[in-house]
Amino acid sequence: MRTLKRTLLHSLLLLILSVRVSQPVCVDGVSDTEAVVGKPMKLTCISCLKREDIRAVTRVYWSRVTEEERIPIYEYVDGPRELDSVMKGRLLWIGSKDLQDVSVRITNVTRNDSGRYECEVFRQFEFDFFTPSITSTKVIKLEVKERATKDPTALYSEIMMYVLLVSLTGWLIVEMVYCYRKISRSDEQAQDAATDYLAVPSDKDPPGPAVDD
């Protein structure tokens, strides 16, 4: 009976550990800063909670900042909402349910979307006796181009692929030439052997006609 209880206890502990390990982990990320005209673009903003078991009210404010003004373009206050701006109709909320990832996407980038964007995350924590709050801001400087700039890693991989293809092609050509010469040499040796065999007289050949003196 003790062995059964111990086994059940160990199984329960392993189940609890496996559930805790399988929980998603928040990883702070950096947004891309280059977009292409006509393509979608993700403005990444991640604000990780130090302790996920603490309740917090979260509000998110996205703005586009120019030299003249700060223009609100998107917010999350009890739900996502696109604000009136020149970008209205092209912004989509793609944040997570726990509001640690509060990213948005520009569905169709235009040349005029280049500039500075700010993601402001406000959190108010709920404790028994007090409700502290904290605000964090992330800045994204977006540059829009007509064509995508090739990644150096992708370019290096492409060059290596071509080098590998050329090397394999050269190796195959060398192997084919070697095999062709080997087969030709074998055929020549077989022909020489057949010629030598036919040139040697056989002991069983009938004698020629007698010649009278």
Side-chain angles (χ1 to χ4, degrees), residues 139-151:
V139 177
I140 302 171
K141 294 181 179 179
L142 183 63
E143 182 182 2
V144 178
K145 298 183 177 182
E146 294 293 336
R147 296 180 180 179
T149 303
K150 277 199 171 184
D151 186 8

Side-chain angles (χ1 to χ4, degrees), residues 4-171:
L4 179 60
K5 288 183 178 180
R6 187 175 299 172
T7 303
L8 290 175
L9 180 60
H10 287 172
S11 301
L12 181 60
L13 289 174
L14 288 174
L15 180 61
I16 293 173
L17 288 174
S18 63
V19 169
R20 290 184 63 86
V21 169
S22 63
Q23 289 180 348
V25 179
C26 178
V27 178
D28 205 355
V30 179
S31 178
D32 291 334
T33 58
E34 184 178 300
V36 180
V37 174
K39 301 292 184 179
M41 167 64 187
K42 179 182 179 181
L43 298 174
T44 303
C45 182
I46 298 177
S47 178
C48 296
L49 287 167
K50 300 299 181 182
R51 290 184 58 182
E52 297 182 11
D53 56 335
I54 297 177
R55 292 180 300 170
V57 176
T58 302
R59 300 187 184 95
V60 183
Y61 305 95
W62 277 94
S63 302
R64 183 177 179 181
V65 182
T66 65
E67 295 180 357
E68 295 81 13
E69 58 182 340
R70 177 190 178 102
I71 306 170
I73 59 175
Y74 211 101
E75 69 178 16
Y76 190 104
V77 179
D78 297 327
R81 185 167 74 95
E82 192 176 14
L83 304 177
D84 290 331
S85 70
V86 295
M87 302 184 70
K88 187 172 183 179
R90 296 189 295 116
L91 294 175
L92 181 66
W93 175 264
I94 54 172
S96 59
K97 291 183 178 180
D98 59 4
L99 296 181
Q100 297 194 79
D101 185 348
V102 294
S103 306
V104 296
R105 174 177 290 142
I106 306 174
T107 57
N108 184 16
V109 175
T110 66
R111 191 71 182 178
N112 296 327
D113 292 334
S114 292
R116 172 173 169 170
Y117 295 83
E118 289 187 0
C119 168
E120 181 181 320
V121 181
F122 170 83
R123 296 192 194 277
Q124 186 174 22
F125 301 96
E126 300 179 3
F127 294 98
D128 293 335
F129 303 105
F130 62 104
T131 55
S133 62
I134 186 173
T135 301
S136 61
T137 303
K138 293 191 176 183
V139 177
I140 302 171
K141 294 181 179 179
L142 183 63
E143 182 182 2
V144 178
K145 298 183 177 182
E146 294 293 336
R147 296 180 180 179
T149 303
K150 277 199 171 184
D151 186 8
T153 304
L155 182 61
Y156 176 77
S157 301
E158 188 175 348
I159 293 174
M160 291 302 297
M161 181 183 69
Y162 283 121
V163 171
L164 181 61
L165 286 174
V166 171
S167 301
L168 288 175
T169 304
W171 177 77

